[in-house]
Amino acid sequence: MSLRKKLGIEYGDINLNVSMDDHIKYINFKLASQGLPVYRSEGSPPDSSTYFIDLFDGIIKDYQEKTRLMNIHEIGIHKRLNRFLREYLEVGEDAAKVVDDYFILDHYGMARVMSLPPDQNSYANDYVTSYRIKQGILNNPKSDKRTTEGSFHIVEGGLAIPSDKKAVPKGTFLKLYRKAITPSEEMKALPYTANQQEKAMTFVSLLIKPIVSPEVPGLMKEKTMEILLTAPGSLVSNLDFIESVFGNAGDPSLHINDSELDVEGWSGYTGYIVLAPQLTQLRKIDVGLPHFESATDRQKRDGMCYEDESELYNDGKSFKLTCRDKSGVAITLIADNYFGYSKKEVKTQISFAANLLGNAEEEHAGGTIVFPRLNLGENYNAQDNAGLKGYSFEEVKAVFKPLMDLHPDGYGIDKVHSTVIYLPETVEIDLHGTKIKWDVDGVTKTLKLLPSNVYILPNGEKLHMEKHPSAPAWKLVGTDAEGTFCHKPCTVSGGGKSEISKSIANSIIYGNYYVNDLEKDMDHVDEILKYDYSKRWKAVPNRTKSSRPILSIERTLGSVIKLLTPSTAYTEVFNQYLESIPNHVKALVFLVKRFYQISWQNDWRSHFTVDIINGKPGHEVKFNDRKVRPSYLRVGFEEDHSWRVFKLRMDFMPSEKIQTEDDITASVMVPSNQLKGMNPKYTNSSYKFSKNCEFRFFQRPDDAIHKGYDRQAEKDLSSGNLFVTNFEPLDKSAVQEIKDDVMDYMSYTNPVKEHIEAFLNGGDQYCVVSSHPRIVEGAPTKNPRY
């Protein structure tokens, strides 16, 4: 199955979004083929969702008969799991089997549709409450987070059990397993048919194949494991979540999806996860645990015994119980419906498989590719860019000619994205004049610099205009072509995996520029501008003595900052001079340099003023009669709750980031002598190749509760097709209240405001707003997710 099909991006070879009506028809057809009640919309039957079931009655009966004759327990993953249960538990063939009366989720998106009655916008049972919202679906499980203390239980008889885990007798596991696969009919009721008199009662199952070892091109193939997840029908939303994160590997009964036939791609390891939150209601005595007097020391320590017959297993708290051995099969019962529990168990089984496979590792990792960005000021000359040495537009034309339309003036326009312009290596850019120029055979060519365009240099660097977020000013921004992969491995929960991939721009605020005495400080700035910097160097052979003026267009703001920063390459006298310059005066020099234009010549002072207040000069600096908006970085709070703020340099630009990992990563180490084509700059004896195991990230937008702070989360949570949990379902009256609170409402970013407007004017009953997580025990949960 293709990756795009696993993720619901395409169906077969056709890119499409399957409609709700098509999903209903397909689900009904499958339910009918299993002899289960189908969903019937209100009105006189037959309706559009059921008429064809009668039409294809013969095909359905034929399928049912063939299915009856087929022994599913001897096919694919079922065969491997059943064999493990028999051999591990040393029981007969019928004593412990994989669930077989299930509805298989063989196409992406079915679980989403089945999580709610198609004609209703909400559904609730003892374990989850679901809502159809404007942005997708909201599922709020009974518990807003997973528990960890005392929750990890392992069956005896397999691999060694760590001392911090609870050891469980085989007999107890067998009794718990039988209870797990025989829930009440109410638990098996699909939300899909919940509003009907005839309800479909069944299990639902999902096959996934997460990565265990990544591919190393030319050396080793990617290897996956197989995991079958099974849940009572009422908990189908849990499998919707898993499918969203890990994709859908199709029907496990089809030979094309049988991992055993994938000789190169299967790692050899198999997992089975059964959701069974009802297990917390069982007594210890009912699952075969001994009395305290007969228990071993470890059983007493682990609580695997009872003194009173009323004692519940694990004290009635959530747990997960795993049965596994070195054969590579792991079977886990999860006595909870919190979505994170299921995801963490998939993670654990990947880790289990990687450890047994060898030369592979599952990492609790976060990661991002970081592309440095530079504020290039208002004048840019590509010939001063050392990174362009050795690159030419002629080479770009030779290699990438099919991707662009070549203009006679010597630049290219991307064929797919007309706003992407490919420039020669000799360009000069005047931001103030909004002009790009270069020479072709001695003739000067020009191009209008537009804010809607992105300009690509021959070495891949990207240039674009960008407006200041809090001022009527523009800057020319350059983005490096080659990013750095920042990988944060082996990180505990809360260790900052997601944080490294978030832009620091969310923490940047903008203030005003203040001085004590502008005239006096500008006199000092004038002295610095006129200073002779040619004698700053130590006596170093071949060191040039010349020095470009600070306000020269041949100098960037970055080079001025470097010039006025003490260095071991400078003489002691010059370093002492630099140390004598007050920081606020240096900041004024950088301010003047940032805004300086050639047309001013020597008249730069008149462009920087302060107002006269009560007959005396004020302290707020203005540039051309508008306020200057410098940037500051917020890095936390003091004990009195005031912000800790630091001034950023005038040319600071936050890097551009592409998130690559969030929680689960598979990695492999390879000796460098087995690799070809590596960057000669790297001299490592070995390299780590890693690949994210999740196709979609389960993000926790902690900062979104602060309106306008986490701009990416606000944009994401205002978009569509989301799986959301632990947010408050808001109706129109609640959202109207949010909008009417004008002062707070103005703090939101535009995507939230547009989302709120669209919801209030649309026909949806519920939505979520990024700043309103679910209320748990009277307070907002600290674990909202999407």
Side-chain angles (χ1 to χ4, degrees), residues 585-602:
V585 174
K586 282 186 183 180
L588 266 178
V589 175
F590 303 148
L591 179 68
V592 172
K593 174 61 180 177
R594 164 67 181 84
F595 291 108
Y596 180 77
Q597 297 172 21
I598 303 173
S599 60
W600 297 354
Q601 296 184 3
N602 293 325

Side-chain angles (χ1 to χ4, degrees), residues 679-694:
N679 190 326
K681 294 180 181 179
Y682 304 146
T683 58
N684 306 55
S685 60
S686 61
Y687 295 92
K688 176 188 285 188
F689 289 78
S690 67
K691 187 168 184 178
N692 168 52
C693 297
E694 302 165 83

Side-chain angles (χ1 to χ4, degrees), residues 226-244:
E226 55 178 0
I227 302 178
L228 183 67
L229 295 102
T230 299
S234 64
L235 307 183
V236 66
S237 58
N238 205 301
L239 299 193
D240 175 22
F241 166 68
I242 291 296
E243 178 182 68
S244 297

Side-chain angles (χ1 to χ4, degrees), residues 533-538 540-547:
Y533 294 95
S534 62
K535 300 179 181 179
R536 68 186 183 277
W537 303 110
K538 288 181 178 178
V540 180
N542 301 320
R543 172 72 75 181
T544 178
K545 299 287 186 179
S546 62
S547 179

Side-chain angles (χ1 to χ4, degrees), residues 360-380:
E361 182 181 8
E362 182 279 318
E363 300 186 44
H364 199 183
T368 186
I369 301 176
V370 179
F371 295 87
R373 299 202 304 164
L374 297 172
N375 183 339
L376 301 176
E378 296 192 350
N379 296 283
Y380 172 77

